[in-house]
Amino acid sequence: MKERIEKLGAQFNEALSGITDTEALENLRLQFMSKKGYISELMKELGKVPNEQKKEVGQTINTFKQEITELFEKKKDELIRLQEEILIQGAESYDESLPTEDPTGSYHPITLVQRELEDIFESMGFDIEDYTEVVTDFECFEAVNIPPFHPARDMQDTYYLSTANQLLKSHTSAAQNAILRKYGDALKKDGRPIRAVFPGRCFRNEAVDASHDNTFFQMEGMMVDKDISISNLIYFMKTMLSEVFGREVTVRLRPGFFPFVEPGFELDIKCLNCGGTGCPSCGNSGWLELCPCGMIHPNVLKLGGINTDEDPFEYTGFAFGLGLTRLAMMKYGVKDIRTFNDGDLSALSQFTSR
Ligand code: FA5
């Protein structure tokens, strides 16, 4: 038996020294260590060895098994290292500074519209803010005057997370409280008006159609100072729209209910895809709800630390929630909102040069 083990050892070493890839190494391992391999055969033969020699022979087989296992592992590591070196050498021949023949990437149309709007609002003295997509129930609802169990919550079918009190932002108004708190001190101490816009992705459990998606962008805006009125709101909305479209567009302002503004309005734009005759982009109404807005509700200003109960109207302000995705539809003549999220590069890469 000892002789047989020695012979197998020599056979293993010889085979191992000629191996240059992991597949051949695995075959050798199976030859020796699989259920039908040489080691199993040796273990079966152990049964025929006289009892007084069994212990010693058993130990020799185990030692042999251990030795070839170690040699196998060592060879495996060597081969993997070698393969990595080959890959690294190959990578060195890649020069990332060389020009590529692939066409350059393009901006998503929403990014383009968002940047354009940011420039417009920045030129009117607005700060640009970013906000998280996961927010708390307080930020999204309570801070904007929608208490728990209030029926106004039904206006937005929301994705709640299993984490306590968190949800995917259903509207950019979720950042209003943070904005009021961030800029409130400068308003009260230095008289610097709050003027901020904050774009962001919103999520709602919508029945998706040509003008509704479950993931879309809004751009919220707020202005707060002493004596801010509806005229200020209308001026900023009109300026923004004529700048974005580069021409006069037909808008209509009608009353709208949102718990965080009083009074509240719906600002609709006459559908630019059909000229107002009705099409799927505007739900066949000829008008597209684009930018609800209104004068900020006293409760929101109070919760944001701006006014106190003693003088709930010391500061006033307006807020709006522009549908950025719908604006992009109108600006670029996109007929179906789903185009923006379906990842079809042939459609989405057309806008950068415009
Ligand atoms: C709101 O989300 C309010 N937070 C807006 C607001 C802010 C009002 C500040 C007053 C003051 P609404 O649910 O209507 O309101 O959405 C605002 C805009 O987002 C809509 O006019 C529309 O342009 C866009 N929008 C809403 N739902 C979708 C959707 N499912 N797909 C695409 N755009 C949408």
Coordinates of all heavy atoms in Angstrom, one line a residue, residues 121-122 124-130 175-176 178-180 182-183 192-199 219-224 318-320:
F121 N -34.1 81.0 -13.1 CA -34.4 81.4 -11.7 C -33.2 82.0 -11.0 O -33.4 82.9 -10.2 CB -35.0 80.2 -10.9 CG -36.5 80.0 -11.1 CD1 -36.9 78.9 -11.9 CD2 -37.4 80.9 -10.6 CE1 -38.3 78.8 -12.2 CE2 -38.8 80.7 -10.9 CZ -39.2 79.7 -11.7
E122 N -32.0 81.5 -11.3 CA -30.8 82.1 -10.7 C -30.7 83.5 -11.2 O -30.4 84.4 -10.3 CB -29.6 81.3 -11.2 CG -28.6 81.0 -10.1 CD -27.6 80.0 -10.4 OE1 -27.5 79.5 -11.6 OE2 -26.9 79.6 -9.5
M124 N -33.0 85.5 -11.6 CA -34.0 86.3 -10.9 C -33.7 86.3 -9.4 O -34.5 86.6 -8.5 CB -35.4 85.8 -11.1 CG -35.8 85.9 -12.6 SD -37.6 85.7 -12.9 CE -37.7 83.9 -12.9
G125 N -32.5 85.8 -9.0 CA -32.0 85.9 -7.6 C -32.4 84.7 -6.7 O -32.3 84.7 -5.5
F126 N -32.9 83.6 -7.4 CA -33.3 82.4 -6.6 C -32.0 81.5 -6.3 O -31.1 81.4 -7.1 CB -34.3 81.6 -7.4 CG -35.7 82.1 -7.3 CD1 -36.0 83.3 -7.9 CD2 -36.7 81.4 -6.6 CE1 -37.3 83.8 -7.8 CE2 -38.0 81.9 -6.5 CZ -38.3 83.1 -7.1
D127 N -32.0 80.9 -5.1 CA -31.0 79.9 -4.8 C -31.5 78.5 -5.3 O -32.8 78.3 -5.3 CB -30.9 79.7 -3.3 CG -30.3 81.0 -2.7 OD1 -29.1 81.3 -3.0 OD2 -30.9 81.7 -1.9
I128 N -30.6 77.7 -5.7 CA -31.0 76.3 -6.2 C -30.7 75.3 -5.1 O -29.6 75.3 -4.6 CB -30.2 75.9 -7.5 CG1 -30.1 77.1 -8.5 CG2 -30.8 74.7 -8.1 CD1 -31.3 77.5 -9.1
E129 N -31.6 74.5 -4.8 CA -31.4 73.5 -3.7 C -31.7 72.1 -4.2 O -32.5 71.9 -5.1 CB -32.3 73.9 -2.5 CG -31.9 75.1 -1.7 CD -30.7 74.8 -0.9 OE1 -30.3 73.7 -0.6 OE2 -30.0 75.8 -0.5
D130 N -31.1 71.2 -3.5 CA -31.3 69.8 -3.9 C -31.9 69.1 -2.6 O -31.7 69.6 -1.5 CB -29.9 69.2 -4.1 CG -30.0 67.9 -4.9 OD1 -31.1 67.5 -5.4 OD2 -29.0 67.1 -4.9
A175 N -39.8 69.4 0.6 CA -38.6 70.1 1.1 C -38.9 71.5 1.6 O -38.0 72.3 2.1 CB -37.6 70.2 -0.1
Q176 N -40.2 71.9 1.5 CA -40.5 73.3 1.9 C -40.0 73.7 3.3 O -39.5 74.7 3.6 CB -42.0 73.5 1.8 CG -42.5 73.7 0.4 CD -44.0 74.3 0.4 OE1 -44.5 74.7 1.4 NE2 -44.5 74.3 -0.8
A178 N -37.7 72.4 5.2 CA -36.2 72.5 5.3 C -35.7 73.8 4.7 O -34.8 74.4 5.2 CB -35.5 71.3 4.6
I179 N -36.3 74.2 3.6 CA -35.9 75.5 2.9 C -36.2 76.7 3.8 O -35.4 77.6 4.0 CB -36.6 75.6 1.6 CG1 -36.3 74.5 0.6 CG2 -36.3 77.0 0.9 CD1 -34.8 74.4 0.2
L180 N -37.5 76.6 4.4 CA -37.8 77.8 5.3 C -36.9 77.8 6.5 O -36.5 78.9 6.9 CB -39.3 77.6 5.8 CG -40.4 77.7 4.7 CD1 -41.8 77.3 5.3 CD2 -40.4 79.1 4.1
K182 N -33.8 76.7 6.6 CA -32.4 77.0 6.2 C -32.3 78.5 6.0 O -31.2 79.1 6.4 CB -32.1 76.3 4.9 CG -30.7 76.6 4.3 CD -30.3 75.7 3.3 CE -28.9 76.2 2.7 NZ -28.4 75.3 1.6
Y183 N -33.2 79.2 5.3 CA -33.1 80.6 5.0 C -33.8 81.5 5.9 O -33.7 82.8 5.7 CB -33.6 80.8 3.5 CG -32.7 80.1 2.5 CD1 -33.0 78.9 1.9 CD2 -31.4 80.6 2.2 CE1 -32.2 78.3 1.0 CE2 -30.6 80.0 1.3 CZ -31.0 78.9 0.6 OH -30.2 78.2 -0.3
R192 N -33.1 89.4 4.2 CA -32.8 88.8 2.8 C -34.0 87.9 2.5 O -34.3 86.9 3.2 CB -31.6 87.9 2.9 CG -31.2 87.3 1.6 CD -29.9 86.4 1.8 NE -29.4 85.9 0.5 CZ -29.8 84.7 0.0 NH1 -30.6 83.9 0.6 NH2 -29.2 84.3 -1.1
P193 N -34.8 88.2 1.4 CA -36.0 87.4 1.1 C -35.6 86.0 0.8 O -34.5 85.7 0.3 CB -36.5 88.0 -0.2 CG -35.8 89.3 -0.4 CD -34.5 89.3 0.5
I194 N -36.5 85.0 1.1 CA -36.2 83.6 0.8 C -36.7 83.5 -0.7 O -37.8 83.8 -1.0 CB -37.1 82.7 1.6 CG1 -36.7 82.8 3.1 CG2 -36.9 81.2 1.2 CD1 -37.5 81.9 4.1
R195 N -35.8 83.1 -1.5 CA -36.1 82.8 -2.9 C -35.3 81.6 -3.3 O -34.1 81.6 -3.4 CB -35.6 84.0 -3.9 CG -36.6 85.1 -4.0 CD -36.1 86.2 -4.8 NE -34.9 86.8 -4.2 CZ -34.5 88.0 -4.5 NH1 -35.0 88.7 -5.4 NH2 -33.4 88.5 -4.0
A196 N -36.1 80.5 -3.4 CA -35.4 79.2 -3.7 C -36.2 78.3 -4.6 O -37.4 78.3 -4.6 CB -35.1 78.5 -2.4
V197 N -35.5 77.6 -5.5 CA -36.2 76.6 -6.3 C -35.5 75.2 -6.0 O -34.3 75.2 -5.8 CB -36.1 76.8 -7.8 CG1 -37.1 77.9 -8.2 CG2 -34.8 77.1 -8.4
F198 N -36.2 74.2 -5.9 CA -35.6 72.9 -5.6 C -36.3 71.8 -6.5 O -37.4 71.3 -6.2 CB -35.7 72.5 -4.1 CG -36.9 73.2 -3.4 CD1 -37.9 72.4 -2.9 CD2 -36.9 74.5 -3.1 CE1 -39.0 72.9 -2.2 CE2 -38.0 75.1 -2.4 CZ -39.0 74.3 -2.0
P199 N -35.5 71.4 -7.5 CA -36.0 70.3 -8.4 C -35.9 69.0 -7.8 O -35.0 68.8 -6.9 CB -35.1 70.4 -9.6 CG -33.9 71.1 -9.2 CD -34.2 71.9 -8.0
M219 N -40.3 70.8 -10.1 CA -39.4 71.8 -9.6 C -40.3 72.8 -8.7 O -41.2 73.4 -9.2 CB -38.8 72.6 -10.7 CG -37.8 73.7 -10.1 SD -37.1 74.7 -11.4 CE -35.5 73.9 -11.6
E220 N -40.0 72.7 -7.4 CA -40.7 73.5 -6.5 C -40.0 74.9 -6.3 O -38.8 75.0 -6.5 CB -40.6 72.8 -5.1 CG -41.6 73.4 -4.1 CD -42.9 72.7 -4.0 OE1 -43.1 71.8 -4.9 OE2 -43.7 73.0 -3.1
G221 N -40.8 75.9 -6.1 CA -40.2 77.2 -5.9 C -40.9 77.9 -4.8 O -42.1 77.7 -4.5
M222 N -40.2 78.8 -4.0 CA -40.8 79.5 -2.9 C -40.2 80.9 -2.9 O -39.0 81.1 -3.1 CB -40.5 78.9 -1.6 CG -41.2 77.6 -1.3 SD -40.6 77.0 0.3 CE -42.0 77.3 1.3
M223 N -41.0 81.9 -2.6 CA -40.5 83.2 -2.3 C -41.2 83.7 -1.0 O -42.5 83.6 -1.0 CB -40.8 84.1 -3.4 CG -40.3 85.5 -3.1 SD -40.2 86.5 -4.6 CE -39.4 88.0 -3.9
V224 N -40.5 84.1 0.0 CA -41.1 84.6 1.2 C -40.4 86.0 1.6 O -39.2 86.1 1.6 CB -40.9 83.6 2.4 CG1 -41.6 84.1 3.6 CG2 -41.5 82.3 2.0
F318 N -45.2 83.0 -1.7 CA -45.9 82.1 -2.7 C -45.0 80.9 -2.9 O -43.8 80.9 -2.6 CB -46.2 82.8 -4.0 CG -45.0 83.2 -4.8 CD1 -44.3 82.2 -5.6 CD2 -44.6 84.5 -4.9 CE1 -43.2 82.6 -6.3 CE2 -43.5 84.9 -5.7 CZ -42.8 83.9 -6.4
A319 N -45.7 79.8 -3.3 CA -45.0 78.6 -3.7 C -45.6 78.0 -4.9 O -46.8 78.3 -5.2 CB -45.2 77.6 -2.5
F320 N -44.8 77.3 -5.7 CA -45.3 76.6 -6.9 C -44.7 75.3 -7.0 O -43.6 75.0 -6.5 CB -45.1 77.5 -8.2 CG -43.7 77.8 -8.5 CD1 -42.9 76.9 -9.2 CD2 -43.1 78.9 -8.0 CE1 -41.6 77.2 -9.5 CE2 -41.8 79.2 -8.3 CZ -41.0 78.3 -9.0

